[in-house]
Amino acid sequence: MKKTISLLLVVLLASACLFADVSLTGELGFGYKVNFDGTVENKDYLNLDSTYGGRFKIKLASDYVNGELRMDKITLTEPSFTTGVRQPINAYATVKASKLIEDTFSVSLPVAVELYVGNQSFSTSYNWAYLDPQDNEDNIKLNAPRSVMPIGASVSYDKYVTVSAWGSFTTGSQLGLVEAKVSPVDGIRAAVAYGINQAAGTNNFQAAALVDVKTLADLDFDLAVSGQIIANVNNFAKGAYYATVAGGYKSVSGFAEFIRKSEKNNLYAGLSYALPAEKAPTTLSAGLALVNLADVTVGASVGATTQLANITLNVKLGVDNFKDFKNSGYVRFASYITF
C-alpha cells in the first residue's frame, strides 16, 4: 500500500511537469533557544514556541498539481534526521482534479475539487477563521501515523464554501477529520470541524469565527475580532476557548488575546512597529503574558525581525516567569532562507 501511494505521488508530480508550467520554491531554516540556565534547545524557525528544530522543504506548483517534500526536526547534532516525534521526511501532493477535468474535456464544473495524497497527517485550518496572533497553531489534527498514508479531498463553491475531509483506509486506523469553511461576505469567515480517533477514544470539535471590521465598515485602520473553541465532545467543560481583538494603523499594530486552556485563564498582549523599509524591512515587537489569572505568572518579551533579500532573521529576548527569572529567561534566534 505504501509503495502504491508513493508511486502514485511520483506519477502525479511527473504529470504536472508534462502538462503545465512548473515552478519550484523552497525554504531552509533553523531556530535555537538559549536558556539563561545554560541549556540550548532546537526550535522551529517559523514558530519559536514549537518543540522541533530546523526544516527544509521544496514546493512544486503547476496548473494541476501542487507538491511538497519536507524534512523536519533537522539538528546539527543529529545529521541522520532519524529521531524526534515527527517523521523526518514528508511528501504529499494536492491534485486539482476539477481543473484537470475542465481542461481535458473542455467543460465547466460548478465546484472546485482537490485531492490530497501523501504521508503527512492533515489538520484543520488553524488561522483561517481565527486570528491566532501568537502562531499557536491550535487546531484539530488527524493524528494519523504517517505510515498509514492518510488521504483527503475538498470541494469548494467559489470563495463561499469549502468542505474538506481526511482519513485513512488502512485497516484498524479508525480515524477521520472533516471541516467546513464558509465566507458569506467579504470580512466574515467561519469554520466548524469534527475529528474522530476511535483507537485513542477522542471525538474532537472545533468552531471558529472571524469578523474583519475594517472590511465591513470600510475603516482606514485595521480592526478585527475572532473567537474559537476546541473541545472533546464528551467533555466540553475542559475544552480550550480563545478570543482575540487585533488592530493597527500604518506602521503600528497590536493584539490582545484571552485563552482558557487546561482550566486556566490566560491573557496575552502584543505590540509591533514596522520601521521604514528602504533597505532591510525590520519589525520591532514586544509581548506580555499573564498566565493563570487565579495565581498569575507574569512573562514578557521583546524581539526584532529583519529581512535581507531572501534571508529572514529573528531574535527574541524574554522571560516566562519574572519570579524565576534565572530558570525561565531565554534568548531565541531563528533564520531561514527562501529560494
Side-chain angles (χ1 to χ4, degrees):
M1 181 67 177
K2 295 180 185 178
K3 293 182 179 179
T4 300
I5 295 180
S6 298
L7 179 60
L8 176 61
L9 176 61
V10 173
V11 171
L12 291 172
L13 295 179
S15 299
C17 297
L18 292 174
F19 293 140
D21 292 334
V22 175
S23 63
L24 289 173
T25 59
E27 293 181 10
L28 172 62
F30 286 89
Y32 287 93
K33 177 185 177 185
V34 181
N35 299 303
F36 285 5
D37 62 7
T39 59
V40 179
E41 305 173 63
N42 280 117
K43 294 293 178 180
D44 178 20
Y45 64 91
L46 293 178
N47 176 10
L48 294 184
D49 290 322
S50 72
T51 56
Y52 58 97
R55 177 188 295 174
F56 170 73
K57 59 183 176 182
I58 296 178
K59 293 183 177 181
L60 174 150
S62 74
D63 289 343
Y64 307 121
V65 176
N66 290 341
E68 181 173 312
L69 175 67
R70 189 177 76 230
M71 291 189 294
D72 290 337
K73 196 173 174 60
I74 301 173
T75 71
L76 298 179
T77 58
E78 299 170 12
S80 63
F81 311 139
T82 58
T83 61
V85 176
R86 301 167 72 93
Q87 285 203 7
I89 298 178
N90 300 303
Y92 61 91
T94 300
V95 184
K96 304 173 186 178
S98 55
K99 173 68 173 173
L100 182 59
I101 294 173
E102 287 178 338
D103 290 355
T104 302
F105 298 101
S106 298
V107 297
S108 179
L109 299 179
V111 296
V113 180
E114 294 185 346
L115 307 176
Y116 313 111
V117 62
N119 71 333
Q120 70 163 347
S121 186
F122 298 98
S123 60
T124 57
S125 305
Y126 67 90
N127 60 356
W128 189 83
Y130 182 66
L131 290 172
D132 195 26
Q134 303 180 92
D135 293 323
N136 289 317
E137 300 187 18
D138 288 318
N139 55 0
I140 298 180
K141 298 176 176 60
L142 186 62
N143 289 325
R146 286 162 173 77
S147 58
V148 307
M149 298 294 182
I151 60 175
S154 71
V155 179
S156 302
Y157 175 70
D158 203 343
K159 61 181 180 181
Y160 303 112
V161 180
T162 299
V163 178
S164 304
W166 303 272
S168 173
F169 290 116
T170 302
T171 302
S173 59
Q174 298 176 314
L175 47 84
L177 176 61
V178 62
E179 178 184 36
K181 303 188 293 186
V182 298
S183 180
V185 297
D186 290 340
I188 296 180
R189 297 198 294 269
V192 293
Y194 177 75
I196 183 171
N197 187 330
Q198 293 184 2
T202 58
N203 297 276
N204 294 317
F205 171 79
Q206 177 182 4
L210 186 152
V211 177
D212 186 343
V213 182
K214 176 184 179 180
T215 299
L216 292 174
D218 194 24
L219 304 177
D220 60 358
F221 58 90
D222 296 328
L223 180 62
V225 295
S226 67
Q228 177 174 259
I229 174 177
I230 301 176
N232 189 311
V233 297
N234 299 320
N235 196 347
F236 266 86
K238 293 187 178 181
Y241 302 84
Y242 309 77
T244 295
V245 57
Y249 182 70
K250 294 184 178 179
S251 299
V252 179
S253 60
F255 74 89
E257 181 178 29
F258 172 81
I259 299 178
R260 177 174 173 78
K261 193 173 184 180
S262 301
E263 299 185 85
K264 295 180 180 180
N265 298 318
N266 311 310
L267 184 62
Y268 305 90
L271 188 66
S272 63
Y273 175 72
L275 299 175
E278 284 81 5
K279 295 183 178 180
T282 301
T283 300
L284 306 179
S285 60
L288 177 67
L290 305 177
V291 179
N292 187 13
L293 298 182
D295 184 18
V296 65
T297 296
V298 181
S301 65
V302 292
T305 301
T306 187
Q307 185 173 341
L308 302 171
N310 59 339
I311 300 175
T312 299
L313 306 172
N314 174 276
V315 62
K316 182 178 180 182
L317 171 65
V319 58
D320 292 328
N321 183 1
F322 278 104
K323 295 179 181 179
D324 190 13
F325 187 87
K326 180 179 179 180
N327 293 316
S328 68
Y330 60 85
V331 179
R332 289 173 176 159
F333 304 93
S335 64
Y336 64 95
I337 181 172
T338 57
F339 54 89

